[in-house]
Amino acid sequence: MPELPEVETIKRGLNKRIVGKNITDLSFDWPKSFLGKKEDVVGREVKGVERRAKVIRINLSGDYNLLFHLKMTGQLIYRAAQLRQGFAGPQNQDFSGGHPDHNWHAKLPNSATRIIFTFNDGSKLFFNDLRKFGWCKVLNNDQIEKIFCDEYGVEPFDSKFTVDYLLLRAKKNPNRTIKQFLMDQTIVAGIGNIYADEALFSSGVLPTRKIKEISLSEWKSIRENVLKILELGIKHGGTTDSDYVNAEGEKGGMQNYLKVYRKAGESCPKECGGKIDRMVVGGRGTHFCENCQS
DNA sequence: CTATCTGTTCTGAC
DNA sequence: TGTCAGAACAGATA
């Protein structure tokens, strides 16, 4: 479930594993998954991996970048080379990130594999995407900067993510619901369905509340809880499992710390006596406690 | 079998 | 300009 914490986890994992390597080959089976020219990528060195919003940027030598969006079912899976038995560094550890699934570390490539990058040491990076909504684009630095600037709002962990900023943006969209506001990538980058529900639950604010009716103290609470829930997500590696020895691919991680998401019918974890309910807000499944969110 | 659900985002209609 | 259904796609689930 690639929202900000998951994508951040992937970024950190890849930074430990592919920086400094050369891409020696690239193949893809679905034209819409790879938007670029193979010749622009093969032969280039990986300089670094960054995250902006839910997007991953792999910076290559020369004026080239790979930009990934995992959308709903994308995964990036690093598969170490089989060469160095007994070497314990991260280079030699498999790593997965993105949409959780039972077959993380099953045979690769598999039916969901869209792109395969091969590095000069024999290791590989697989871009899997069951539903084919995700993409990888080859872009130059200017194009990347423009996208990062134009299409996304502040990063939650940036110092610009303040209550004043939220109030400013709130003036422009007074009639939207708070949930849609939080998920609008041009306002705050990286929040998706799960973390929006969780942050609003922690804040005691109903997802359907109109922006213009949110009080100052509620904005403060929402801001703090967005940060808290995202930090918790990153701390637990999102819903990512990086331990390939452990077969429990989709377990562990953040799934175990969610309080309302997909918990409809259960008792409120705040023990307020209420139950978690579900409704649709902006076309998205939305989970909340009717009793302690208002 | 059918109907409905799913973590994202973009487009086109109104 | 804001809002909303539908699309892009492929499952799993009831």
Side-chain angles (χ1 to χ4, degrees), chain A residues 26 28 34-42 64 66 137-138:
Chain A
L26 177 163
F28 57 99
F34 181 76
L35 306 168
K37 290 184 204 150
K38 179 179 172 180
E39 313 88 84
D40 288 344
V41 175
V42 171
Y64 291 90
L66 296 167
K137 297 177 183 173
V138 180

Side-chain angles (χ1 to χ4, degrees), chain A residues 147-167:
Chain A
I147 290 170
F148 282 6
C149 180
D150 292 353
E151 297 183 15
Y152 299 105
V154 301
E155 284 289 324
F157 296 114
D158 193 285
S159 59
K160 291 178 190 159
F161 181 56
T162 61
V163 170
D164 282 346
Y165 172 77
L166 290 171
L167 291 172

Side-chain angles (χ1 to χ4, degrees), chain A residues 9-108:
Chain A
T9 302
I10 293 169
K11 180 202 84 178
R12 293 180 186 186
L14 291 182
N15 257 318
K16 288 183 195 154
R17 290 172 175 83
I18 66 170
V19 174
K21 295 184 183 181
N22 272 286
I23 298 172
T24 55
D25 195 16
L26 177 163
S27 64
F28 57 99
D29 80 329
W30 184 255
K32 285 184 179 175
S33 294
F34 181 76
L35 306 168
K37 290 184 204 150
K38 179 179 172 180
E39 313 88 84
D40 288 344
V41 175
V42 171
R44 302 205 176 270
E45 180 189 342
V46 175
K47 307 300 276 186
V49 186
E50 298 169 25
R51 178 195 61 77
R52 171 87 166 101
K54 301 171 189 172
V55 161
I56 287 268
R57 171 197 197 175
I58 298 181
N59 185 238
L60 302 177
S61 53
D63 191 14
Y64 291 90
N65 299 269
L66 296 167
L67 195 65
F68 294 86
H69 200 306
L70 303 179
K71 294 292 179 95
M72 290 169 75
T73 57
Q75 306 170 314
L76 278 169
I77 303 180
Y78 173 85
R79 177 56 58 96
Q82 303 296 314
L83 305 174
R84 294 186 286 175
Q85 301 285 330
F87 179 71
Q91 303 279 335
N92 214 30
Q93 293 166 5
D94 291 348
F95 174 82
S96 306
H99 177 69
D101 122 15
H102 289 287
N103 298 315
W104 276 126
H105 302 288
K107 194 174 186 315
L108 286 168

